[in-house]
Amino acid sequence: MSLLALAYPCISDKDYQWIQEFREENDELYHGRVEPHFTLVFPVFNQRPETFIEEIKTRSSNHRRIEFAIRCAVMEKDAFTPYWHVLMVPDEGYSHIVKLHDDLYSGKLAEELRMDLSFIPHIGIGNSIEQWTCKELVDQINHLDMEIKGTINEINVVEYHEEYAETLEKIKLSPNR
């Protein structure tokens, strides 16, 4: 069991269905276990849920709702497994997500930050141990001239079990002015 901070994006039903259909075919690791999301804090194993929740509330209190637009996919090699991942990366909203991520990893979670890995805000939609399979999927997506617009309105503190993610608390971000 681990604790994470995830942002389930608010997107159109059409975009959600497209992502889920794509994931059903191409995301053998996480489809059916967790909804499409941006990971803001990666798995933490040595925190009590109450402490983790309070820290996420404290560190996110100055952040506002984030609007984003995704227009492309990229691929990345997993640092811990033989898998490659297909990631939908936002053009707009990117810096706001990075800043929220960085704030969440200050304070009590600072020691949890993996300094050896770059943070790329993304929604993971596919994976394979075959890098060329992922390259073909990325090329396929990037030729669609698609755009997924949405918002991040809240942070979900999640307890991740082997087969599913359970939301323990939803923390609202301030509305934009």
Side-chain angles (χ1 to χ4, degrees):
M1 186 238 11
S2 60
L3 298 168
L4 299 95
L6 306 179
Y8 297 116
C10 293
I11 56 177
S12 73
D13 289 341
K14 178 183 167 204
D15 291 336
Y16 175 83
Q17 288 302 331
W18 182 88
I19 288 171
Q20 287 297 73
E21 287 172 11
F22 191 94
R23 288 179 72 208
E24 186 173 9
E25 291 181 29
N26 302 293
D27 185 359
E28 68 182 71
L29 296 176
Y30 304 112
H31 181 263
R33 295 182 178 186
V34 63
E35 291 291 310
H37 64 276
F38 292 96
T39 303
L40 300 171
V41 174
F42 290 85
V44 171
F45 298 93
N46 61 355
Q47 296 271 332
R48 290 184 25 245
E50 304 79 25
T51 306
F52 187 83
I53 290 167
E54 283 309 310
E55 185 65 8
I56 299 301
K57 283 181 180 178
T58 299
R59 299 293 164 192
S60 65
S61 64
N62 293 328
H63 286 270
R64 301 207 177 283
R65 175 184 110 145
I66 299 170
E67 296 180 10
F68 66 86
I70 295 172
R71 298 184 189 93
C72 72
V74 299
M75 60 185 272
E76 182 177 74
K77 173 69 174 83
D78 191 299
F80 307 105
T81 72
Y83 280 88
W84 289 80
H85 297 281
V86 177
L87 312 175
M88 301 289 294
V89 178
D91 296 85
E92 296 170 28
Y94 188 98
S95 64
H96 295 292
I97 298 169
V98 168
K99 290 174 184 179
L100 175 57
H101 165 269
D102 289 351
D103 281 349
L104 294 176
Y105 273 106
S106 62
K108 294 179 182 175
L109 296 177
E111 295 297 317
E112 300 292 337
L113 179 61
R114 292 293 310 262
M115 298 292 278
D116 57 329
L117 302 173
S118 298
F119 175 67
I120 300 172
H122 68 273
I123 298 174
I125 61 169
N127 43 67
S128 175
I129 57 173
E130 300 296 330
Q131 65 183 344
W132 289 105
T133 297
C134 287
K135 174 66 174 138
E136 288 173 14
L137 293 172
V138 165
D139 289 346
Q140 173 190 338
I141 292 166
N142 289 340
H143 283 101
L144 293 176
D145 194 31
M146 51 129 23
E147 179 177 66
I148 296 174
K149 287 188 171 191
T151 58
I152 295 172
N153 299 322
E154 64 187 17
I155 299 170
N156 287 258
V157 174
V158 171
E159 189 172 70
Y160 189 76
H161 307 274
E162 285 185 35
E163 297 296 323
Y164 65 96
E166 175 186 1
T167 296
L168 302 178
E169 180 121 6
K170 296 179 181 182
I171 302 165
K172 295 273 187 210
L173 297 175
S174 300
N176 293 342
R177 288 186 219 180

